[in-house]
Amino acid sequence: QVGDFGFYPKRMHLFYDIKPRIPLYAIDGNHEDFSTFVGLTEPTEVGKNIFYVPRGTVLELDGRTVGFMGGAASVDKEYRIQYGRHWDGRENISPIDIAKWNKSTKDKKIDIMVTHCPPQSVIQKHFDPKGLAFFGLTVTWRDTNADIIEKLWTNAGFPALFCGHMHRSVVEGPARILNINELFCL
């Protein structure tokens, strides 16, 4: 799961109503209550067979090495603040998250990356920056998290990358942005 799963304390009980037959690994996006994750440094079962995976975690799943990195900046931050909607500054990838990734990936070949934010190169190729005006942002605004993902992806040798955040389905080489309700199985 590529983020914005709905991790809010008042909703966590709903995860016990979902009972996937196979493990579901979920990362955070930018629309979460990050207080939910305080102190979690390892994958944690948050519902029957549903696991929250902290940023920078690397797991061996079905014979593949999978690296996870949640987080992204909200283009709707000002709107959310102005109208009293939830917003949390911990949405962005931190230096601690990057350090954990670097430590977790050292001497490992990453087969798959699961991120919330797409790499900057994919965003630039498929999304017109003029659309940012809708959110009161200039065409020069950029999500610095996309730059971080770009660097991590490049350093990992461009493995298959699955992400979300953009609310549109895009395939660009080994990168796939999943739409909000899109499902992709390997």
Side-chain angles (χ1 to χ4, degrees), residues 15-180:
F15 294 124
Y16 287 95
D17 294 337
I18 305 168
K19 295 178 176 66
R21 287 184 233 157
I22 59 172
L24 172 68
Y25 297 92
I27 61 173
D28 58 85
N30 57 307
H31 293 285
E32 318 281 4
D33 182 336
F34 293 93
S35 65
T36 306
F37 312 124
V38 171
L40 299 181
T41 60
E42 298 297 324
T44 302
E45 193 167 14
V46 295
K48 178 95 170 117
N49 228 6
I50 301 171
F51 298 87
Y52 165 68
V53 183
R55 297 174 187 181
T57 299
V58 175
L59 299 174
E60 298 295 324
L61 301 171
D62 294 330
R64 297 181 182 121
T65 304
V66 183
F68 297 86
M69 184 62 81
S74 297
V75 293
D76 61 345
K77 171 186 169 184
E78 295 307 319
Y79 166 84
R80 290 163 67 187
I81 292 170
Q82 180 180 355
Y83 292 99
R85 306 267 190 228
H86 182 269
W87 179 80
D88 191 317
R90 294 173 284 187
E91 67 182 15
N92 293 297
I93 298 168
S94 74
I96 293 169
D97 301 328
I98 296 166
K100 181 177 179 182
W101 171 272
N102 290 336
K103 182 178 179 184
S104 299
T105 60
K106 187 176 181 182
D107 300 324
K108 290 187 181 175
K109 178 187 175 291
I110 301 298
D111 300 307
I112 299 170
M113 283 180 69
V114 178
T115 67
H116 184 60
C117 189
Q120 191 63 254
S121 61
V122 177
I123 293 172
Q124 288 176 332
K125 185 168 183 178
H126 294 278
F127 295 88
D128 186 346
K130 291 178 190 156
L132 295 168
F134 179 80
F135 300 100
L137 301 170
T138 67
V139 295
T140 59
W141 184 89
R142 41 191 300 146
D143 183 348
T144 58
N145 298 281
D147 294 318
I148 293 167
I149 296 300
E150 185 79 41
K151 184 175 181 181
L152 299 178
W153 189 43
T154 300
N155 290 346
F158 303 101
L161 184 144
F162 299 92
C163 56
H165 189 49
M166 304 302 287
H167 300 240
R168 194 169 97 201
S169 183
V170 171
V171 177
E172 177 62 37
R176 178 180 289 267
I177 300 174
L178 300 176
N179 203 342
I180 199 162

